[in-house]
Amino acid sequence: LKVQERTTKINEQKEELERLNELLKENNIQLIENVKDLSLARVTKKPVSFIEFKNTYPNEIVCHQYLAELKWGSGFICRKCKNKHYIQGKTEFSKRCNRCWYEETPTVGTIFHKLKFPIEKAFYLLYLITENQKISIEELSNQLELSERTCWSYKNKIISAMELNKKNKIKEISWEKIILAPLQKI
């Protein structure tokens, strides 16, 4: 009888621990979301250093994930044959058309296409230039440890995308609009 009572008590404690564990998981998820929201708000409202900026876009994987969600969040359409069905491509976040086998990475069709430096730095350049178009090439080069030529070229690409958005009468120029500006017209 005592063994049965102890077993019952242990099972009740186990269930309570599982319930508390589930609550902690939910709270942790909420905390992560809150930190992400605060980080994004900080990035968009106050100038930050590249090190601070990397708290929001810390590595290539996060940047590619963001681009994949931005590009294909409402569905995939093959750039070659317009098919809507795909399979996972060879690299993470890439998509391969299951009709013509064209594989597309998240950067194709964005201002990040054929990038020759780390994408995290490209995101930071986008941030700096959209916040302050008058920032000098020398300042960009020093902050990101990239050549002045690279910074000049990329700054012009971003400004061209911004001007294309203005030309197309897009009132609110956002990162998303700049990132997805049709490159063939830039």
Side-chain angles (χ1 to χ4, degrees):
L1 190 62
K2 285 188 177 189
V3 171
Q4 189 176 9
E5 286 176 10
R6 265 188 98 191
T7 303
T8 303
K9 189 174 182 177
I10 289 173
N11 284 335
E12 288 172 357
Q13 289 174 337
K14 180 183 170 197
E15 287 175 13
E16 180 64 15
L17 284 173
E18 287 173 353
R19 188 184 69 76
L20 290 173
N21 192 29
E22 195 59 40
L23 284 173
L24 285 172
K25 282 181 186 178
E26 289 174 15
N27 288 341
N28 193 30
I29 289 169
Q30 186 61 47
L31 179 62
I32 289 169
E33 288 300 316
N34 290 345
V35 168
K36 183 179 176 184
D37 291 345
L38 289 172
S39 295
L40 286 171
R42 185 169 184 211
V43 166
T44 57
K45 296 196 188 286
K46 174 187 169 257
V48 295
S49 70
F50 182 56
I51 293 167
E52 290 174 306
F53 186 82
K54 284 186 63 116
N55 289 330
T56 305
Y57 297 100
N59 57 40
E60 182 179 345
I61 292 169
V62 172
C63 293
H64 282 119
Q65 181 180 8
Y66 172 76
L67 289 176
E69 290 169 4
L70 184 62
K71 279 180 69 172
W72 301 310
S74 59
F76 172 82
I77 298 177
C78 178
R79 296 172 70 85
K80 298 250 180 181
C81 72
K82 306 300 181 214
N83 181 34
K84 294 181 181 181
H85 302 285
Y86 65 91
I87 60 171
Q88 175 64 44
K90 291 179 184 175
T91 61
E92 191 171 20
F93 305 115
S94 68
K95 299 190 183 300
R96 180 180 291 269
C97 174
N98 68 356
R99 182 187 296 158
C100 72
W101 295 103
Y102 171 73
E103 185 169 344
E104 187 173 328
T105 66
T107 60
V108 171
T110 72
I111 60 168
F112 303 116
H113 188 59
K114 295 186 179 180
L115 199 59
K116 300 203 186 307
F117 57 93
I119 194 165
E120 311 90 274
K121 289 186 178 189
F123 266 88
Y124 188 59
L125 273 169
L126 175 63
Y127 162 72
L128 290 174
I129 293 165
T130 55
E131 289 298 308
N132 180 10
Q133 289 185 38
K134 294 181 179 11
I135 190 167
S136 75
I137 300 301
E138 185 178 359
E139 287 176 280
L140 294 172
S141 176
N142 289 337
Q143 285 188 39
L144 287 162
E145 298 174 351
L146 294 172
S147 74
E148 287 187 10
R149 181 178 176 169
T150 298
C151 292
W152 177 84
S153 174
Y154 203 70
K155 180 178 180 178
N156 286 338
K157 195 175 192 180
I158 292 169
I159 290 173
S160 294
M162 292 170 69
E163 288 170 359
L164 180 64
N165 281 315
K166 285 179 187 173
K167 182 180 169 185
N168 291 333
K169 298 179 181 161
I170 297 172
K171 292 179 181 167
E172 187 179 317
I173 299 176
S174 64
W175 274 25
E176 291 82 8
K177 301 286 186 210
I178 295 168
I179 290 169
L180 297 176
L183 291 177
Q184 59 274 21
K185 294 183 181 178
I186 294 177

